Amino acid sequence: MVNKVLVSGVSLILVVGVAIGVVSVVNNKKEDPEVAAHQKSVKSMCQGTDDQKLCYDTLSSAKASNSSDPKVYIATAVEASFKSVIQALNMSDRLSVEHGNNNPSIKMALDDCKDLMQFALDSLEASANLVRDNNMQAIHDQTPDFRNWLSAVISYQQSCMEGFDDEKDGETKVKEQLQTDSLDQMGKLTGITLDIVTDLANILQNFDLKLDLNPASRRLLEADEVDHEGLPTWFSPADRKLLGKVHNGGGQVTPNAVVAKDGSGKFKTVKQAIDSYPKGFKGRYIIYVKAGVYDEYITIPKQSANILMYGDGPTKTIITGHKNFVDGVKTMQTATFANVAPGFIAKSMAFENTAGPSKHQAVAFRNQGDMSAFFDCAMHGFQDTLYVQANRQFYRNCEISGTVDFIFGTSPTLIQNSRIIVRKPNPNQFNTVTADGTSQKNMATGIVIQNCEIVPERALFPERLQFKNYLGRPWKQYARTVVMESNIGDLIAPEGWSVWSGNQFLDTLYYAEHANVGAGANLQKRVKWKGYHANINNNEAARFTAGQFLRAGPAGRAEDWLKATGIPYDIGFTK
C-alpha cells in the first residue's frame, strides 16, 4: 500500500513536471525572437492577399532563420504554385488514361490541359529564376514581367477548364474532378503569389532594406539606356540592321525561308517554312510568304522564338481554315493559326476562319506569345475570331472582324490604330466586340482598344440598327476592357455593354471609356453598373497606354520591346 502511494506520488510529480516543461517550451517558443520575426514577416507578406489563411499556411514553411529576407517567402510562394501545376499536369495525364481512350472529346480537352500546364511551368520557371538570380531591387524593378508570368499561369488554368463542355455529363465529371483535385488549388496558390508581387512595394517597406521603390525617374536619367539613334543600347548589330530594313514592310530583307504556292520559293507551305527553323537558332528568323491562299493549320511552337513572318499584304497573303466547335473541335484547336512562341511578329498578312456564324467558336488566330506584335494584318472570322490567350500582345494598323466575342482571352492586349469590323450575325444573335477573361483582381490583363474605328461590315450596314451590337461583355469576374480615343459607329447600342448572365460580375468588372468620338460614343444612356466607368480622366486612362500597360524587361520599359519589333507605335495617348 505504501509503495503504491509512493509510485502514485512520483507519477504525479512526473506529470506535473512534464506539464510545467510543456508550458515552459510553449512560452519559450512564443518568446523565441526568431519565430516572432518569422511570424511578423509572414504577416507582412500576406497583408494584401485575398486569401490570407492560405497565404499564412503556405509561407509558414519558409525557413524562419531567413525571416529578414523577403526573397525566401517569394520563392516559397512560387514553389508552392509550381508544385500545384505539376499536380494538375499529373492529374490530367491520369484522367486521360482513365477516360480519354473511349471519349475523343475528353481526350482532346485533357491533351490541351497537359499542354497548358507545360506552358504554366515555363512561366513559373521564369518566375523562379528571377527570384533566384537577382537581389530584391532587381526583382522589384522587374515586377511587370513577374506579374505577367503569374497572370499567364492563371490564364492557362482557365483555358484548361474552358476546354470541357458543361453540357456533356462525362466531360463535366472529369472537369469537376480535375478542378477539385488540382486546378482550383493551382489558381488559389498562383493568386496569392500574384497578390504578393502586386503589393511588393508596400510589403518591402516593412523589411529593413534600402531599396528605391520608385525607380522610374532614376531610369529616365540613365544616359546609357538609349544611343544617339534613340535605340536601346542592348540591341545587337543584327537587330539594328534588321530594324532599319523591316520598318516599312520587310521588302528589303533577305528572308531565311520563302513560301510560294507556285513553287518559286523554297517551300510550298507555311508549315514547311516553320519546320525549317533550326534547332538552337539565335536571332530573328525571317519567313516571307508570297501572295496566295494557304489552306492549312499552323502552330508556331514555343522553341521557335523571334520569328518575323511577312506577306504581300492582307488581301494577297491569306492563311485560311474552317475548324469550329459545332463540328466537334475544342475552341483552342479551332484556330487556323496559333502562336505559342515569344517574340513573334507578323506583317502584311491575313488569317481567317470561314466556318460562319452558325458554327459558334471558330478561331482565326490564337496567340499566347509574349511580346508579340502585328502590323498591317487582318484577322477575319465570326465568333471568337482573335483569341488573345495569354501574355503581352500589340496590334497596330490591323483589321479584326467578327460577331460574338470576337476579341477574347486573358492577356494584356493593346489594339492601336486599327479597324474593328462588326459582321452580320444570324437572325437570333447579337454582337459583342470583346470578352475579357480576367478572373482575379491583380492579374495584369485586359483588352485595350485605342484610336480605332468600330464599324459595321458592308453586309451589316443596312441592318446595323436591327441587331444589338455591344463593345463587350464580362467573361470572368474581373473582366477589364478600355475603349479610348476611338471612333465608335452608330451601330453600338446606346447602353454600350452587355451582361454575360444576369447581374454576374457587374460590380467587380472594370469597363471604361475615354475621349471617344462618333455616334456610338454618346455616354448618356450607358449602363449604370458599379464596375463601369464613363469618360475616365487622363491620369486613369494613362494606365492603359502602351507605356504603362505593356511594360516589360529589367528596366520595365514597354518602348524597348516595341521598338525592337520595327512596328510603329504610340507609347502614350495618340491625340
Side-chain angles (χ1 to χ4, degrees):
M1 184 73 174
V2 173
N3 289 337
K4 285 183 179 179
V5 171
L6 282 172
V7 171
S8 298
V10 171
S11 299
L12 180 61
I13 291 169
L14 287 172
V15 170
V16 172
V18 169
I20 291 171
V22 170
V23 171
S24 176
V25 169
V26 171
N27 286 335
N28 286 339
K29 216 170 188 179
K30 287 181 179 178
E31 295 170 0
D32 186 334
E34 194 173 271
V35 173
H38 175 54
Q39 292 175 342
K40 181 181 178 183
S41 294
V42 170
K43 184 177 181 181
S44 295
M45 298 297 297
C46 296
Q47 64 186 4
T49 60
D50 271 354
D51 192 337
Q52 294 196 7
K53 183 182 184 305
L54 178 61
C55 184
Y56 290 144
D57 292 344
T58 303
L59 300 192
S60 292
S61 63
K63 293 181 180 179
S65 58
N66 292 323
S67 61
S68 62
D69 186 1
K71 277 183 60 172
V72 173
Y73 298 102
I74 298 171
T76 300
V78 172
E79 183 182 8
S81 296
F82 202 95
K83 289 179 178 178
S84 71
V85 175
I86 291 175
Q87 184 178 352
L89 177 61
N90 292 337
M91 178 64 67
S92 299
D93 196 41
R94 182 171 68 80
L95 290 173
S96 183
V97 173
E98 293 177 0
H99 302 279
N101 292 334
N102 299 320
N103 191 319
S105 184
I106 290 178
K107 187 177 188 308
M108 194 184 303
L110 288 169
D111 284 347
D112 284 345
C113 283
K114 287 189 285 185
D115 287 342
L116 291 162
M117 294 307 106
Q118 290 287 358
F119 292 122
L121 290 176
D122 292 339
S123 294
L124 287 171
E125 183 179 6
S127 302
N129 291 343
L130 172 65
V131 177
R132 184 195 64 215
D133 298 338
N134 294 277
N135 59 29
M136 275 311 308
Q137 182 68 67
I139 294 170
H140 174 266
D141 289 354
Q142 211 164 332
T143 296
D145 288 326
F146 209 163
R147 289 186 65 207
N148 175 72
W149 296 328
L150 295 171
S151 299
V153 173
I154 297 170
S155 175
Y156 299 140
Q157 176 232 15
Q158 288 176 199
S159 295
C160 171
M161 290 191 291
E162 293 293 337
F164 296 91
D165 189 344
D166 289 333
E167 295 182 4
K168 297 180 180 178
D169 290 338
E171 293 195 37
T172 301
K173 290 177 182 178
V174 172
K175 176 183 176 180
E176 289 175 351
Q177 187 174 353
L178 193 56
Q179 275 188 276
T180 303
D181 292 349
S182 60
L183 283 180
D184 282 350
Q185 187 72 348
M186 171 185 164
K188 290 175 182 177
L189 286 169
T190 306
I192 65 168
T193 309
L194 177 60
D195 290 344
I196 289 169
V197 173
T198 303
D199 197 37
L200 201 53
N202 291 326
I203 289 171
L204 293 177
Q205 293 177 10
N206 296 321
F207 288 83
D208 189 20
L209 299 171
K210 294 181 180 179
L211 301 179
D212 182 358
L213 300 180
N214 187 23
S217 57
R218 169 172 55 82
R219 289 196 202 99
L220 290 174
L221 297 175
E222 290 177 353
D224 61 346
E225 214 168 274
V226 296
D227 63 12
H228 65 283
E229 296 178 326
L231 299 177
T233 54
W234 47 264
F235 269 26
S236 69
D239 281 333
R240 292 167 183 275
K241 187 176 180 181
L242 176 62
L243 181 60
K245 288 182 177 180
V246 305
H247 192 74
N248 293 315
Q252 303 175 46
V253 176
T254 301
N256 300 90
V258 177
V259 183
K261 294 194 75 173
D262 61 7
S264 62
K266 187 176 182 180
F267 304 104
K268 287 189 175 182
T269 70
V270 178
K271 185 180 185 305
Q272 289 172 339
I274 293 168
D275 290 344
S276 73
Y277 185 99
K279 186 176 181 180
F281 181 82
K282 302 295 182 183
R284 183 73 67 184
Y285 196 73
I286 305 168
I287 299 174
Y288 169 38
V289 185
K290 289 188 175 183
V293 178
Y294 298 83
D295 190 351
E296 51 182 307
Y297 295 96
I298 305 297
T299 297
I300 296 184
K302 65 181 180 182
Q303 64 269 22
S304 300
N306 298 317
I307 284 179
L308 165 61
M309 183 179 292
Y310 68 95
D312 286 325
T315 62
K316 296 179 179 179
T317 300
I318 302 167
I319 301 177
T320 188
H322 56 268
K323 288 183 179 179
N324 60 85
F325 184 80
V326 170
D327 289 347
V329 183
K330 297 298 182 182
T331 301
M332 267 183 58
Q333 300 302 328
T334 65
T336 301
F337 196 108
N339 170 59
V340 300
F344 176 74
I345 301 171
K347 293 186 176 186
S348 303
M349 300 178 66
F351 311 90
E352 65 179 21
N353 189 313
T354 61
S358 299
K359 294 292 188 175
H360 301 301
Q361 296 95 324
V363 177
F365 198 105
R366 176 172 70 89
N367 187 28
Q368 66 180 61
D370 196 18
M371 292 183 278
S372 54
F374 302 80
F375 178 73
D376 187 30
C377 287
M379 290 83 174
H380 293 313
F382 291 86
Q383 181 170 342
D384 291 0
T385 303
L386 176 59
Y387 189 178
V388 290
Q389 189 169 16
N391 294 305
R392 291 159 288 201
Q393 308 180 23
F394 179 68
Y395 299 79
R396 173 87 177 203
N397 289 53
C398 290
E399 191 172 88
I400 306 167
S401 70
T403 54
V404 180
D405 305 336
F406 64 92
I407 304 170
F408 79 109
T410 312
S411 72
T413 291
L414 175 57
I415 302 170
Q416 199 175 80
N417 292 38
S418 295
R419 204 156 187 254
I420 313 297
I421 301 173
V422 181
R423 303 185 75 172
K424 186 175 179 179
N426 284 337
N428 60 339
Q429 290 181 328
F430 59 89
N431 290 321
T432 44
V433 175
T434 65
D436 178 66
T438 301
S439 62
Q440 298 194 31
K441 67 179 181 182
N442 283 324
M443 291 178 73
T445 52
I447 297 170
V448 178
I449 296 174
Q450 182 186 21
N451 196 33
C452 294
E453 283 186 301
I454 301 176
V455 297
E457 70 168 348
R458 185 175 300 175
L460 175 62
F461 185 83
E463 303 173 60
R464 67 192 184 284
L465 303 182
Q466 298 175 27
F467 291 93
K468 283 288 189 178
N469 306 295
Y470 302 101
L471 296 172
R473 59 175 180 161
W475 186 21
K476 299 295 178 183
Q477 186 175 358
Y478 290 94
R480 186 179 295 124
T481 304
V482 177
V483 181
M484 60 184 186
E485 300 184 301
S486 293
N487 190 332
I488 304 175
D490 64 356
L491 75 161
I492 296 299
E495 57 268 36
W497 307 81
S498 173
V499 300
W500 186 272
S501 178
N503 294 324
Q504 197 175 31
F505 312 145
L506 303 187
D507 290 347
T508 52
L509 60 78
Y510 182 94
Y511 282 166
E513 297 181 57
H514 173 76
N516 296 310
V517 298
N522 191 319
L523 302 177
Q524 290 183 356
K525 296 182 180 180
R526 285 294 197 256
V527 294
K528 305 300 180 185
W529 307 335
K530 182 179 178 181
Y532 171 70
H533 305 270
N535 201 23
I536 54 176
N537 61 37
N538 281 354
N539 288 338
E540 179 74 1
R543 293 172 46 211
F544 302 99
T545 58
Q548 295 190 41
F549 194 61
L550 296 178
R551 292 173 61 200
R557 288 164 49 93
E559 50 265 57
D560 286 351
W561 78 266
L562 288 172
K563 187 168 287 186
T565 66
I567 289 175
Y569 62 89
D570 287 293
I571 202 67
F573 294 115
T574 60
K575 298 173 181 177

